[in-house]
Each structure stands twice: as structure tokens, then as C-alpha cells.
Amino acid sequence: MEPKALFDGHPLHKLLPVIAGIALAIAAALDLKTSAQAYDLDSNNCLACHSSPSLSKQNGQGSVSLFVSANELTASAHRYLDCTSCHTDKPHQVQTPLTKQSLAQKCGTCHAYEYKLHLTSIHGQKLSNGNSDVATCTDCHSTDSNPHSVVRVLEPTASTYPKNIAQTCAKCHNNPQLMSKYGIVEKVYESYMRSFHGKAMKLASDKLAVELLNKATCTNCHGTHDIMEVNDPGAPVAGMANLAKTCEQCHPGAGVTFASGFLGHKEANPSFLPPVYWGERFFYIFTRAVLAVGGLMVSFEIGRWGVGHIAARIRRSREQDD
Amino acid sequence: MTAQQASSDVQRVTAGYILRFDVHQRIQHILMFSSFIILAVTGLPLKFSDNAVSQWWIAVWGGIDNTRMIHRVAGLVMAADFLYHISYIFISMVLLKRPFPLKMMPNLNDFRDFIQDLKYTFGLSKEKAKFDRFSYREKFDYWAVGWGLAMMVGGGLILMFPVTAANHLPNWVVPAALVAHSDEAILAVGWIVIVHMFFAHLSPSIFPFNKSIFTGTVPLAKYKEEHPLEYDRILAKAGMESDRKEERPAAMEVVASEQP
């Protein structure tokens, strides 16, 4: 059958060019979203070269990737900024890569408030001293510390979304080698996940609305851009008076007794909240002992019944033999 | 033993059955196990929050806050059931002038029965222990629930109002309540699933299901097997001859002298 015959005399016939036009337009729009060339504000056509995953340069340390993912940039908080607003008009004259400190400085050219706070924080202070183990802006704001994939802080996929913050801090604070270097012995991530707050966060569904993610996470107790050393007198967790105020943000009426009963990242031990420690010991032994006795009672019953059953069967077969 | 109780004991026997649980006891048990199941399925995911199943299960209940709300309502139902039971005993003793429920009290006989069962298990004796109204296992279940309720309701209330609790009690009370509540929960669920379910429903002589806690009655033959001492006494009172009396006169004497 000739395809033409299908449409002969049919009203759709006249619409065919229109349909084709719409289809083309949709295809073009979809393409716009994914194609590198089409990154809206790339007026300088930087991506003509930088969208190539193999683009790299050599420096003293070895090869540095210069690949910029247009997809990531299109989804980022900075999707309306041109490359040159961060990279200057003459990007090829600026020495990169930046250090963690100069990177924060760069972000700070626009985000002056966050930058200023950051400089006072333990992370920022250590950065200024040339320590590169601590967190800079992109360590917290991007899952892969990539300046081009910084997303808005309250997007459910953001590393700063309340449900994800513990994992973000855990990148460093759940690394025992790194932490022991700084004398931080508490397993802060594990202990947080053992606490009610951590469990509730973990059990929340992935895209739960932010107002329902109201349980405390790391930054509720320690701050965000202004995180201090925990025994700095100004830290929100330093001393019971400060800590009580921190709890009180969410637990109205919380006082010093409430705060001092908080295990923090520690475990109870004979000198820290001893009744809790001995209670744990007691229940550890008690639950196991009682369940073991119960288990024995059941297995005795089954065992005795089984033996009786088999004995009866043997007796019966003997009687048959006789 | 009062005359009233003696006659009420006889009234428990009807057409092939013995009444074992009155209607209040049956309601109490229904409230207990239904709140228990809800508490277990809404509480365990928090204990095992690392398990992938837990997150899915919490979502089934509509999120962690819903789950906690349901957990609290079920907890209050269980606490109310506890109060129901206490008032039930109180009313039965003070208003109805029934004697103190001595039969539920642990005594030396329970220990002897336990040893007897051990001997039976290891073939040192041909006889199982013979029980009165409640076997040592049933008494243990009852008192374990009593202790468990104190832990779970007490701990649960503290966790429900942690700030209030901390403002009136020492600082270690809230974290200790959490330890008690969570470990005791595992113990309770473990015991019910392994031991209670087995001896009440799954053991070879009962399998698959024992409906007497719902109907309140037990067939006479079954009662004779499970609670021979009480069976003999009731039948003796009813003027029927017990075929067991000659078998164990000594045990009967112990029971008889136990009566207030």
C-alpha cells in the first residue's frame, strides 16, 4: 500500500506541516536544555572548548581537568551568571587552580556576608593559616567540591539540605585518620546517627519538605558559617548554659538539667552520666539472660517432644516386627 | 476459702468447658496485644533506623511524625489497659469482696515445678509438673508484663515529655529512660515472639491456635491435662469424682494448705 493513500482526503493531511513544525520546535527546546552550545548566558562561547571532557592542562602537580559540565551549571544556583562574572573577562590570564582559601575569597566577592562569617569560623580560621584539610565553601555546597555544581541550599538534592547535612560534614568528620590528626576522638557522625535526632532525619523520606525536617542536625547545634571550636566560650555547645540555649530553640523550656543529660557525641561511662552507663550494662546482660532462658525453655520443650515422638515411633515399629 | 468463691468456682464448669478468663480479662488481653503489636511495628524502625526496610516502613505510615503519634496513642491505650487491670483487681477485692488473687503469686511450688519439668526434659522423671490455676510459665509471663509495663510506660512518658522530666528529675533520667525503653522493648518483643507464642499457641499439644483467651473457656479434657490440680479441686467441689486424687495426694495437700 502506498503511504500517501492513507491521508488522501483526510483533514489531517493539511495539518501535517504544522505538526512537523511543532515537533521540531519541541526537539529544539529539549536540545537547548542539554546541548553545551546552548548554555544561555555563555555569551563568550567558553563552552565551545570547555564542554570537552578531555580538556586539561599540565601544571607542576600533573594534569588538571578543565572540563565544565553544562548540565551541572544549568542546574546550579549560578545558572544566571555568565562564566566571566566569576572568571573575569580574561580567564586565561588568571592562575588556577585556586587554593581553598582563594576560592572562598572568590565566592566572597559576591557573598560577602557568608564569607565574613566563614573567616571567623574554625574552618575559615584554619584556612587562613594555610590548612587545606578544613572545609571551604564548595566542600559544603557541592557533593563533589565542584564550584560549578553549587545548588540552591534548600533544594532536596543539595548537600546543605537538612536531611543531607550530616553526610556532608561526614565527608571529613567521619574520617578517623583526618580527625585524629586534630585530636577529635569522638565518632561524631556515628553518635549523631545513634541519637533520636539523627535517626529521625535518616528515616525521613528523601524529599520531605524542609519544615518537616525539624529535628536537629549538625548545623543546628554547631552553626553553619560560624562553626567554632566546641570549647570556645562563644560556641553554641560550649558549657551547659550555651548548650541549654541551643536546645531551647526547638525544645521550649529546656534548661541546664535537660542539656546536661545530653550524651552529645560521647557514650556514657562510669564517670560521665554513670546511671546511664550502669543502666546500659544492666539491660545488656538482663535482656540476653532472660531471652536465653526463654529460648532454652522452648528448645527443651521441642526437644523432649521430639525425643518422645521418635521413641514412640520406634516402639511401634518394634511391636509390628514382633 | 470463702463459700462464695467455692460456689463461683463450681459455676465455672459448663457443658464440657471450664471458664478460665472472665470477660474483663479477655478485653484486657485484646487491648494488650493490639496495642503491643502497634507499638512494636511503630517503634522498632526507630531502633533499627539503619535498616533500609525501616525507611520504607516509616513512609508506609506517612512519615516519622505520624508514626510517633500513632506510637504514643497506642502507648496510652496500653497504659489505660494497665490501669483497667489494676482497678479490676481493686474492685474485685474491695467492692466484690473476692479474696486476694493468691494464685498469681509466685511461690516455692513454682520452683519445684520448674525442677520437675527439667527432670522430665532430661528423662530423669516420667512425669511433667502438675499445675494449679497458673503454671510457673504463666506467672512469669504475667509478672514480666508487669515489670515491662512499668519500664515501657514510665520510660515512654519521660521520652514524651523530656523537657518536663528534666526540669523535675536528675539529668540522667532522660537518657536512662531511652536505654530502658529501647532495650526492654527488644526483650518484650523477643519474649512474646519466642516464648509466649510458643507456649500459648505453637507448642505441639496446642498447635496451631489456642482460642481460650478469646472465648474464655477451655475444654474439660484439656483443662485436666494442663491444670490438673485446679481441675481436681473444682470437680471435687462440684461433687464429681476426680480420677486423679489417688495419684498425687501429697501435692493436693500442699495446695489445700495454701488456701487462706
Side-chain angles (χ1 to χ4, degrees):
Chain A
M1 200 204 311
E2 238 182 294
K4 228 181 139 205
L6 249 181
F7 294 105
D8 269 354
H10 196 277
L12 257 180
H13 185 106
K14 284 181 194 135
L15 282 177
L16 265 182
V18 182
I19 294 174
I22 293 173
L24 258 177
I26 292 174
L30 286 178
D31 195 45
L32 241 174
K33 265 194 130 174
T34 48
S35 141
Q37 271 80 3
Y39 175 63
D40 245 359
L41 294 170
D42 187 17
S43 46
N44 301 300
N45 253 339
C46 313
L47 289 174
C49 301
H50 285 282
S51 64
S52 155
S54 58
L55 189 68
S56 63
K57 69 165 189 180
Q58 299 294 325
N59 71 0
Q61 270 92 52
S63 165
V64 180
S65 169
L66 299 176
F67 167 61
V68 176
S69 156
N71 286 340
E72 275 181 359
L73 213 54
T74 319
S76 87
H78 298 123
R79 56 183 166 272
Y80 299 121
L81 295 183
D82 186 67
C83 312
T84 51
S85 43
C86 293
H87 283 290
T88 76
D89 287 340
K90 300 191 173 58
H92 295 142
Q93 283 162 25
V94 179
Q95 262 312 304
T96 64
L98 304 172
T99 63
K100 277 191 167 189
Q101 193 196 349
S102 54
L103 183 134
Q105 221 165 4
K106 174 155 244 162
C107 307
T109 54
C110 296
H111 300 289
Y113 176 71
E114 284 79 15
Y115 179 59
K116 217 174 82 202
L117 279 182
H118 178 69
L119 283 184
T120 66
S121 77
I122 174 82
H123 297 134
Q125 277 175 7
K126 297 289 154 135
L127 272 184
S128 312
N129 296 347
N131 181 332
S132 59
D133 285 343
V134 288
T136 187
C137 315
T138 48
D139 289 324
C140 292
H141 283 286
S142 154
T143 38
D144 53 353
S145 299
N146 174 351
H148 302 131
S149 67
V150 170
V151 295
R152 304 204 63 169
V153 293
L154 292 186
E155 273 181 43
T157 53
S159 53
T160 49
Y161 197 64
K163 187 172 159 65
N164 307 334
I165 284 176
Q167 277 73 26
T168 302
C169 311
K171 283 195 286 191
C172 303
H173 285 284
N174 200 26
N175 176 343
Q177 282 95 26
L178 180 66
M179 285 300 118
S180 65
K181 200 167 140 190
Y182 296 96
I184 300 177
V185 289
E186 312 298 350
K187 297 197 172 83
V188 295
Y189 177 70
E190 282 165 33
S191 53
Y192 169 70
M193 295 316 291
R194 265 204 313 275
S195 77
F196 170 78
H197 296 134
K199 289 178 170 215
M201 280 291 192
K202 170 134 200 174
L203 290 172
S205 59
D206 286 337
K207 299 211 166 153
L208 192 62
V210 69
E211 62 274 15
L212 295 176
L213 288 168
N214 57 0
K215 321 294 184 287
T217 182
C218 318
T219 48
N220 294 112
C221 290
H222 291 287
T224 44
H225 300 123
D226 53 353
I227 295 171
M228 289 182 210
E229 219 160 343
V230 293
N231 44 22
D232 184 316
V237 297
M240 288 310 143
N242 286 7
L243 189 60
K245 274 199 218 104
T246 303
C247 310
E248 214 187 350
Q249 294 166 9
C250 305
H251 296 285
V256 166
T257 334
F258 181 68
S260 65
F262 176 56
L263 291 167
H265 300 291
K266 302 191 188 76
E267 284 181 53
N269 63 48
S271 54
F272 175 56
L273 294 175
V276 181
Y277 174 77
W278 295 116
E280 277 169 358
R281 297 281 84 199
F282 169 75
F283 277 106
Y284 184 89
I285 296 166
F286 179 70
T287 46
R288 279 161 182 74
V290 174
L291 285 180
V293 169
L296 277 181
M297 271 163 65
V298 171
S299 28
F300 283 172
E301 185 84 3
I302 295 176
R304 184 62 181 80
W305 173 78
V307 169
H309 204 70
I310 293 166
R313 189 175 272 183
I314 292 172
R315 214 179 310 122
R316 240 178 293 129
S317 71
R318 281 225 189 100
E319 276 162 16
Q320 272 168 9
D321 289 350
D322 287 349
Chain B
M1 181 185 292
T2 60
Q4 188 200 4
Q5 200 199 2
S7 71
S8 72
D9 261 358
V10 174
Q11 279 162 13
R12 287 170 52 202
V13 186
T14 46
Y17 287 91
I18 283 190
L19 182 70
R20 180 153 167 81
F21 302 111
D22 71 19
V23 65
H24 296 286
Q25 290 166 329
R26 282 177 264 158
I27 295 176
Q28 283 163 18
H29 181 261
I30 289 175
L31 287 174
M32 178 57 67
F33 81 74
S34 43
S35 60
F36 183 91
I37 291 171
I38 293 182
L39 284 163
V41 299
T42 54
L44 288 174
L46 204 55
K47 174 102 184 169
F48 300 103
S49 55
D50 274 347
N51 200 305
V53 174
S54 300
Q55 192 179 353
W56 166 80
W57 184 238
I58 293 280
V60 168
W61 289 81
I64 181 79
D65 290 315
N66 276 5
T67 316
R68 297 175 79 219
M69 186 53 69
I70 296 163
H71 190 82
R72 283 159 188 221
V73 171
L76 291 176
V77 169
M78 186 177 273
D81 193 29
F82 185 44
L83 292 182
Y84 179 11
H85 183 67
I86 302 284
S87 354
Y88 163 83
I89 295 174
F90 181 82
I91 291 173
S92 112
M93 282 168 63
V94 175
L95 300 183
L96 304 180
K97 303 267 186 282
R98 295 214 191 114
F100 181 74
L102 244 192
K103 300 255 172 48
M104 202 36 116
M105 291 295 156
N107 59 35
L108 218 55
N109 256 0
D110 295 323
F111 186 67
R112 287 194 203 115
D113 288 347
F114 177 63
I115 299 290
Q116 177 66 29
D117 268 355
L118 275 184
K119 282 189 185 158
Y120 173 77
T121 304
F122 291 105
L124 300 176
S125 164
K126 289 226 173 321
E127 280 190 60
K128 284 188 174 186
K130 293 191 173 54
F131 301 124
D132 199 333
R133 172 96 193 226
F134 299 111
S135 73
Y136 62 88
R137 283 195 295 264
E138 289 158 343
K139 291 185 187 180
F140 188 92
D141 268 9
Y142 176 83
W143 290 104
V145 171
W147 149 271
L149 269 175
M151 292 291 128
M152 300 313 285
V153 173
L157 282 174
I158 290 170
L159 291 176
M160 206 158 147
F161 304 105
V163 173
T164 315
N167 288 346
H168 295 95
L169 300 165
N171 61 356
W172 52 265
V173 168
V174 173
L178 182 62
V179 171
H181 194 83
S182 118
D183 283 7
E184 186 69 30
I186 298 302
L187 177 55
V189 171
W191 186 267
I192 295 292
V193 171
I194 300 171
V195 187
H196 181 73
M197 278 299 134
F198 179 78
F199 283 109
H201 297 294
L202 304 180
S203 86
S205 59
I206 299 163
F207 191 82
F209 186 71
N210 177 354
K211 57 186 193 308
S212 61
I213 191 65
F214 298 100
T215 60
T217 55
V218 182
L220 274 176
K222 189 115 206 147
Y223 215 87
K224 184 168 147 191
E225 190 186 305
E226 287 173 356
H227 303 279
L229 302 186
E230 194 188 30
Y231 175 86
D232 287 350
R233 200 175 51 245
I234 293 174
L235 290 207
K237 255 179 250 143
M240 301 180 220
E241 225 3 86
S242 160
D243 49 13
R244 246 186 228 276
K245 221 162 195 169
E246 293 71 37
E247 264 177 60
R248 267 189 93 191
M252 289 302 285
E253 270 159 33
V254 174
V255 175
S257 63
E258 211 181 88
Q259 301 305 321

